[in-house]
Amino acid sequence: MKNLFKFKRGPMTRAVYNSEYARFASRQSLEQVYSTLSAHKRGLSELEVEKRRRKYGENIVVHEERTNPMKLFVSAFINPFIGVLTALIIISFVLDVVLAEPGEQDWTTIIIISTMVVFSAILRFVQELKAGRSSDALLKMVKNTCYVVRDDNESGEIPVEELVPGDLVLLSAGDMIPADLRIVETKDFFVSQSSLTGESDSIEKTPLCNADEGSVVDLDNLAFMGSNVVSGTALGIVFATGNQTYLGSIAKSIAGHRAETAFDKGITKVSMLLIRFMLIMVPFVFMVNGFTKGDWLEAFIFAVSVAVGLTPEMLPMIVTANLAKGAVRMSKKKVIVKDLNAIQNFGAMNILCTDKTGTLTRDKVVLVKYINADGKEDKTRRILRHAFFNSFFSTGLKNLMDKAIVEHVNEKGKPLDVVTEDYKKIDEIPFDFTRRRMSVVLESKDGKRQIITKGAVEEMISICSHCELDGKVIPMTGNMHTMAMNIVHDMNNQGMRVLAVAHKSYLDKAGEFNVDDEQDMVLIGYLAFLDPPKDSAAEAIRQLHDAGVEVKVLSGDNDAVVSTISKQVGITNTTCVVGSKFEQMTDDEKRIAVRENCIFAKLTPHQKTEIITLLQEQDNTVGFLGDGINDAAALRQSDIGISVDSAVDIAKESADIILLEKDLMVLEQGVLSGRETFGNIIKYVKMTASSNFGNMFSVLAASAFLPFLPMLSIHLLIQNLLYDISQTAIPFDKMDKDFLMKPRRWDSSDIARFMIFIGPISSIFDITTYLLMWFVFGCQSMEMQTLFQSGWFIEGLLSQTLIVHMIRTRRIPFIQSNAAWPLLLMTFAIMAIGIAIPFTSFGAYIGLMPLPLSYFPWLVATLLCYCVLTQGIKMWYIRRFGKWL
């Protein structure tokens, strides 16, 4: 067994899949496979399973080692802002230590910048570590399972992590392939390997391999972890698990290489913009101060300090902390985020496409009637018996209606499963989403065979050449077809879902049955199911609409049923577009249809994906909520794929977000949480961009017209460190309700505009402070520069710290909107510390001095005027451009 799985080691110690050994497993006979794997046809014993689990570990593909604290710690230091500060540390070390005279070496600048670097990196490290561990803990709540055959009566459904090489696994439509398998038995078994190969077409897998050429994933008798079952059933034996699978061998090479979203690109764009500002500003400040002050070394040190002040080193930490807190906040609302970066798309979503079943309805299908082909009540229960046989003997994908049939029989106290002892299953033709039906072939004790088929009405009628009325079999004429559709339509209009039942008796075929045998059937009756709308559905859709999210129903169900349920939950301003009509439309007609209509019925999986694509092309952020195998492609195509914990494996695997409750009310709360997370990030970005832009003008004015430096480099560094500390509370802030009521998307042009209009406001009051200190307090000489610098130190810190309260809301701060208490406490604490520093011995040490009491009324007046002007500009900006954050 051990020789079957030899793995080479490549770069980054990644396991390299050796296809020759997979081909070896493919070429072996089934008896040889059992022997090589020391397996048994009755399954492994529990003792053997434990031994193999200790040897091979859990069946888990490790995509990335994000929980490795050392790697995470190092990566926290790798960003452009930390790089800039590190370069400044090196420059300061050369100037203040290496080139300084003995006894005049000064480590202060190096210590402060290093503190900022370490502080920023440690905070980011802690947040990312907590986010990774929280995400792992949340994802453990979402379980993928498989059905395993084991000895000692231990067969049943188990988590896929518990599989070991040698296990026998039963597969049916909707299952994810849980490990690399050698196929043992199949029945119309088709698999999609698009996640591995990119090919959208499903391929048939069989126990025999007809060719040993081409890629290893194309071998007919091997199925690989990560692919999914489209239709049919199979039995397979596990020959590789975890990182030893084909998927595991490529996992590390694809980890971390997700496509950049508009949010990612926007953050990068702003970061590079701020760095460019700094690179332009610093040489200019250096030259101005050098020529006007004459001390080029002091000018250079001041320019270095300005570079530190213009570097938003807290941005990576703020982004990470907000996303992490957003994920935790959403988890409390029973929404699990698989990818932190999906949160911003959640907040940006303005269209939600959803299936009907279980989302708008209660997801509790009940069989309410079974009638003959003429619409009369089936008093003999013959229709029910045939339907029960079809569901009972099926081993493929069992849907809610199969379960409803079995439950109905059991609830009536007349268990038909006793009758099943008189029949044995010869074969079955599994369900698929093209035929929309499934069949079983049964043989009675007297040797008579019949095929029983159950499925969607139109697809069933298309294979029926006869129907049964009053015990007589008559041809399916046009009138009979019309009568059948009228019966079904009446039940659909009552909100019932209808299936047709047909059979064909006296079969003499001996070989395997296939879809070609589903013809010349006899229609015998109908089954009517009721899945009533949830009591909360109408209110949830209203709330989503109020939050700017339009709900569109994309269903594979009958148009009459979908329309009825949609109207019951308040979606009434649209007609229903059926899949067949949609297919015949031109591209332009399709674009209009998806924009103007909210109800789509009888859609194929491909049409669901097409509708989502067309909506995205019209500049919409589209979410899709689905839980079935036919929803997997749509989940992948959507901007934000949403599934539920009870979904089939492939749906959960394709989703970005998983709901622990299949409830639109939960979804609405998650959307608001996503917008709050985005809002906290964007407020820091806009605040930092505008503040840095304003600081450019303040420093330039001071450098050009003052005979001394407006602040020493140490003052700028301490001011920036205190400001950074105040911003660590932003992830704990809240957003105004009106901000949460609209979808929020990243808009780089708005950030640039915001920076240009809001940034210079702070410069106005920096300059008034210069004038105040120059004319009122007489700071016009080198001897008075300490008082001047102390005055601007306090005003600059307070105005820069106070700006977060002005920018965080479009309302009047402290009157109409208050920040969360952590942000209030942190900002006012930093403001108090800033005011106190000049009065302390530490302040004297760094070159500051106590300010006269007469300064503080001027300071209050300056800050009030600053707030009033900012609020006025804010109101004009909102009227002019229609948005704030």
Side-chain angles (χ1 to χ4, degrees):
M1 177 176 173
K2 62 183 179 182
N3 293 327
L4 190 59
F5 313 112
K6 291 184 179 178
F7 285 82
K8 303 172 183 177
R9 291 289 168 181
M12 300 171 57
T13 67
R14 177 171 67 87
V16 179
Y17 198 72
N18 193 328
S19 60
E20 288 304 314
Y21 291 96
R23 294 182 189 278
F24 174 67
S26 172
R27 287 193 293 265
Q28 286 189 309
S29 67
L30 290 177
E31 289 74 16
Q32 290 173 321
V33 171
Y34 280 113
S35 175
T36 303
L37 293 168
S38 301
H40 315 286
K41 293 183 179 180
R42 62 180 182 275
L44 300 175
S45 67
E46 192 61 30
L47 180 62
E48 184 64 29
V49 168
E50 287 300 321
K51 287 170 56 180
R52 298 189 185 200
R53 188 172 295 130
R54 285 194 296 269
K55 181 176 181 180
Y56 297 101
E58 289 189 315
N59 181 35
I60 298 174
V61 172
V62 181
H63 292 276
E64 50 187 320
E65 299 177 8
R66 60 182 174 187
T67 55
N68 185 322
M70 185 55 67
K71 287 186 177 180
L72 203 60
F73 184 74
V74 172
S75 68
F77 286 86
I78 302 174
N79 69 71
F81 305 125
I82 297 294
V84 169
L85 293 181
T86 303
L88 297 178
I89 290 173
I90 295 172
I91 293 172
S92 297
F93 177 75
V94 173
L95 293 176
D96 297 341
V97 178
V98 176
L99 299 180
E101 295 294 331
E104 296 183 6
Q105 294 174 331
D106 186 3
W107 292 83
T108 307
T109 300
I110 297 171
I111 292 172
I112 292 176
I113 301 178
S114 298
T115 300
M116 295 167 63
V117 169
V118 173
F119 180 66
S120 171
I122 287 179
L123 282 177
R124 184 184 179 192
F125 163 70
V126 171
Q127 290 295 340
E128 289 191 350
L129 187 65
K130 287 171 60 178
R133 290 178 175 174
S134 298
S135 179
D136 289 341
L138 290 171
L139 287 175
K140 286 179 181 177
M141 300 169 65
V142 182
K143 294 292 185 183
N144 287 337
T145 60
C146 62
Y147 193 93
V148 65
V149 177
R150 284 183 179 161
D151 204 357
D152 303 328
N153 296 317
E154 294 295 329
S155 298
E157 200 168 23
I158 65 168
V160 295
E161 294 85 359
E162 297 181 9
L163 279 180
V164 297
D167 263 330
L168 289 173
V169 179
L170 286 171
L171 299 167
S172 61
D175 289 343
M176 289 286 292
I177 306 294
D180 284 2
L181 308 175
R182 165 64 194 272
I183 302 300
V184 177
E185 299 174 3
T186 62
K187 177 61 181 178
D188 297 328
F189 188 62
F190 285 83
V191 171
S192 170
Q193 298 185 150
S194 59
S195 59
L196 301 177
T197 65
E199 294 291 335
S200 58
D201 293 336
S202 58
I203 60 174
E204 186 174 12
K205 296 289 186 176
T206 64
L208 300 177
C209 185
N210 297 320
D212 193 20
E213 299 176 354
S215 172
V216 65
V217 294
D218 294 329
L219 295 175
D220 295 333
N221 59 356
L222 298 184
F224 295 90
M225 186 181 197
S227 51
N228 61 280
V229 183
V230 175
S231 65
T233 58
L235 174 69
I237 184 168
V238 177
F239 71 85
T241 58
N243 281 347
Q244 292 181 322
T245 61
Y246 182 84
L247 179 64
S249 71
I250 62 174
K252 283 193 175 181
S253 65
I254 63 174
H257 294 284
R258 65 180 182 86
E260 276 196 326
T261 64
F263 178 77
D264 298 321
K265 294 174 182 176
I267 290 289
T268 302
K269 189 173 182 179
V270 168
S271 300
M272 292 301 104
L273 176 65
L274 295 175
I275 288 177
R276 284 198 297 271
F277 275 157
M278 186 263 303
L279 293 176
I280 294 172
M281 182 70 175
V282 170
F284 198 67
V285 169
F286 169 63
M287 297 298 292
V288 170
N289 279 300
F291 282 114
T292 58
K293 314 299 186 294
D295 189 339
W296 288 94
L297 179 60
E298 188 67 27
F300 185 77
I301 295 173
F302 181 74
V304 168
S305 301
V306 170
V308 175
L310 293 177
T311 303
E313 64 279 352
M314 300 298 287
L315 181 58
M317 187 283 295
I318 292 290
V319 171
T320 302
N322 271 290
L323 293 176
K325 285 194 66 62
V328 173
R329 189 186 302 120
M330 291 167 70
S331 72
K332 293 177 181 178
K333 301 179 187 299
K334 299 185 177 180
V335 179
I336 294 178
V337 181
K338 290 175 63 180
D339 179 2
L340 287 181
N341 290 280
I343 292 176
Q344 62 89 18
N345 269 348
F346 211 8
M349 180 176 70
N350 67 310
I351 292 179
L352 172 66
C353 298
T354 177
D355 194 5
K356 170 184 64 66
T357 305
T359 305
L360 304 180
T361 61
R362 294 177 185 174
D363 205 13
K364 178 64 177 177
V365 176
V366 179
L367 177 63
V368 291
K369 65 167 66 174
Y370 38 94
I371 58 178
N372 294 316
D374 58 3
K376 297 177 182 178
E377 181 184 356
D378 174 28
K379 296 181 179 180
T380 64
R381 301 175 79 227
R382 180 165 173 261
I383 308 300
L384 178 62
R385 183 170 66 251
H386 277 69
F388 177 78
F389 285 166
N390 180 279
S391 298
F392 181 85
F393 284 107
S394 168
T395 58
L397 180 66
K398 290 185 183 294
N399 56 34
L400 292 173
M401 287 176 281
D402 287 311
K403 296 176 182 177
I405 293 169
V406 175
E407 288 177 3
H408 179 85
V409 169
N410 293 334
E411 287 173 2
K412 293 299 180 181
K414 299 177 181 178
L416 288 174
D417 51 351
V418 175
V419 183
T420 60
E421 296 176 0
D422 297 332
Y423 293 84
K424 68 175 181 178
K425 186 176 79 171
I426 302 301
D427 205 349
E428 73 175 282
I429 308 171
F431 177 88
D432 65 55
F433 290 94
T434 302
R435 293 164 37 251
R436 286 159 51 93
R437 59 180 180 265
M438 71 84 54
S439 302
V440 294
V441 181
L442 304 180
E443 184 176 276
S444 60
K445 284 185 175 181
D446 59 6
K448 294 180 180 178
R449 290 186 177 183
Q450 65 172 325
I451 179 171
I452 301 174
T453 305
K454 175 180 91 269
V457 174
E458 291 186 15
E459 284 74 7
M460 289 293 296
I461 290 179
S462 69
I463 61 169
C464 291
S465 59
H466 294 75
C467 66
E468 188 174 309
L469 294 179
D470 298 326
K472 297 180 180 179
V473 176
I474 62 175
M476 176 68 79
T477 62
N479 290 336
M480 296 303 304
H481 183 279
T482 301
M483 182 183 73
M485 296 310 299
N486 287 338
I487 293 172
V488 171
H489 190 69
D490 288 342
M491 289 188 286
N492 287 159
N493 286 335
Q494 299 173 48
M496 288 184 279
R497 304 167 68 181
V498 183
L499 297 182
V501 181
H503 77 142
K504 184 165 59 174
S505 302
Y506 306 107
L507 303 175
D508 55 5
K509 183 176 180 178
E512 289 190 355
F513 289 77
N514 54 50
V515 294
D516 293 334
D517 295 296
E518 293 177 330
Q519 58 182 342
D520 296 328
M521 305 285 290
V522 178
L523 177 67
I524 61 173
Y526 309 100
L527 307 165
F529 303 84
L530 193 61
D531 186 9
K534 290 179 178 177
D535 296 333
S536 62
E539 176 64 15
I541 289 175
R542 186 190 65 78
Q543 289 185 4
L544 282 169
H545 183 267
D546 291 343
V549 179
E550 182 181 14
V551 178
K552 294 182 182 287
V553 181
L554 310 186
S555 178
D557 208 345
N558 184 280
D559 54 325
V561 175
V562 176
S563 295
T564 300
I565 295 294
S566 298
K567 289 176 182 177
Q568 290 173 350
V569 298
I571 305 177
T572 58
N573 58 342
T574 180
T575 57
C576 180
V577 179
V578 296
S580 57
K581 181 179 178 182
F582 183 78
E583 188 176 5
Q584 296 171 0
M585 294 180 181
T586 65
D587 290 343
D588 289 338
E589 290 173 337
K590 287 180 178 179
R591 292 187 186 94
I592 296 172
V594 301
R595 182 176 67 246
E596 297 182 352
N597 295 284
C598 294
I599 306 174
F600 298 83
K602 299 208 74 173
L603 297 176
T604 64
H606 173 73
Q607 287 173 332
K608 290 183 180 183
T609 305
E610 185 179 7
I611 289 172
I612 290 172
T613 303
L614 290 169
L615 289 170
Q616 290 170 326
E617 290 174 356
Q618 297 176 41
D619 201 29
N620 295 296
T621 301
V622 184
F624 182 79
L625 173 57
D627 64 351
I629 179 177
N630 57 327
D631 296 325
L635 284 166
R636 288 198 181 101
Q637 176 62 38
S638 62
D639 295 294
I640 182 79
I642 308 164
S643 193
V644 292
D645 189 31
S646 58
V648 297
D649 295 347
I650 181 60
K652 287 189 286 187
E653 197 72 19
S654 303
D656 302 301
I657 286 177
I658 295 177
L659 308 182
L660 295 183
E661 289 185 358
K662 196 172 183 180
D663 188 350
L664 285 177
M665 297 289 280
V666 174
L667 190 61
E668 187 259 352
Q669 294 168 9
V671 167
L672 298 185
S673 292
R675 292 177 185 174
E676 187 166 81
T677 299
F678 178 78
N680 281 333
I681 293 174
I682 204 68
K683 75 174 61 161
Y684 176 81
V685 170
K686 287 191 171 182
M687 179 181 63
T688 301
S690 59
S691 177
N692 285 5
F693 187 69
N695 287 342
M696 283 175 42
F697 297 104
S698 301
V699 172
L700 281 174
S703 300
F705 298 106
L706 293 177
F708 48 79
L709 293 174
M711 272 197 287
L712 299 180
S713 59
I714 188 68
H715 302 158
L716 281 172
L717 294 173
I718 291 174
Q719 188 185 72
N720 194 58
L721 178 60
L722 292 172
Y723 172 72
D724 283 348
I725 294 172
S726 73
Q727 304 313 301
T728 59
I730 285 180
F732 298 90
D733 196 20
K734 57 188 177 182
M735 300 300 300
D736 292 336
K737 187 176 180 180
D738 54 358
F739 180 88
L740 300 177
M741 289 298 101
K742 292 182 180 179
R744 300 293 170 179
R745 302 176 67 180
W746 183 268
D747 184 358
S748 295
S749 63
D750 180 62
I751 293 173
R753 182 173 60 220
F754 188 95
M755 180 177 63
I756 292 169
F757 282 100
I758 305 301
I761 299 176
S762 62
S763 298
I764 294 173
F765 292 95
D766 285 340
I767 293 172
T768 61
T769 301
Y770 299 162
L771 297 174
L772 172 72
M773 301 308 296
W774 184 272
F775 291 108
V776 177
F777 291 97
C779 301
Q780 301 177 8
S781 63
M782 296 295 293
E783 291 74 18
M784 297 296 290
Q785 68 171 327
T786 302
L787 182 62
F788 184 100
Q789 291 163 351
S790 300
W792 192 40
F793 175 84
I794 293 178
E795 186 275 336
L797 177 63
L798 266 61
S799 63
Q800 197 173 17
T801 306
L802 194 63
I803 190 64
V804 66
H805 296 281
M806 301 302 302
I807 287 181
R808 65 168 296 277
T809 176
R810 62 189 293 157
R811 300 177 182 178
I812 302 175
F814 309 118
I815 298 175
Q816 296 178 329
S817 176
N818 281 320
W821 70 265
L823 184 59
L824 282 169
L825 183 65
M826 184 65 78
T827 52
F828 285 113
I830 292 299
M831 291 169 72
I833 291 171
I835 292 173
I837 284 177
F839 295 89
T840 65
S841 57
F842 173 72
Y845 172 74
I846 62 174
L848 296 175
M849 64 179 290
L851 288 149
L853 292 179
S854 59
Y855 165 82
F856 290 97
W858 288 102
L859 175 65
V860 172
T862 298
L863 294 177
L864 281 175
C865 290
Y866 175 47
C867 291
V868 170
L869 180 59
T870 303
Q871 186 65 30
I873 297 294
K874 181 199 300 184
M875 295 170 65
W876 170 85
Y877 186 95
I878 293 171
R879 287 196 302 269
R880 177 69 175 81
F881 300 109
K883 65 183 299 185
W884 180 241
L885 288 178

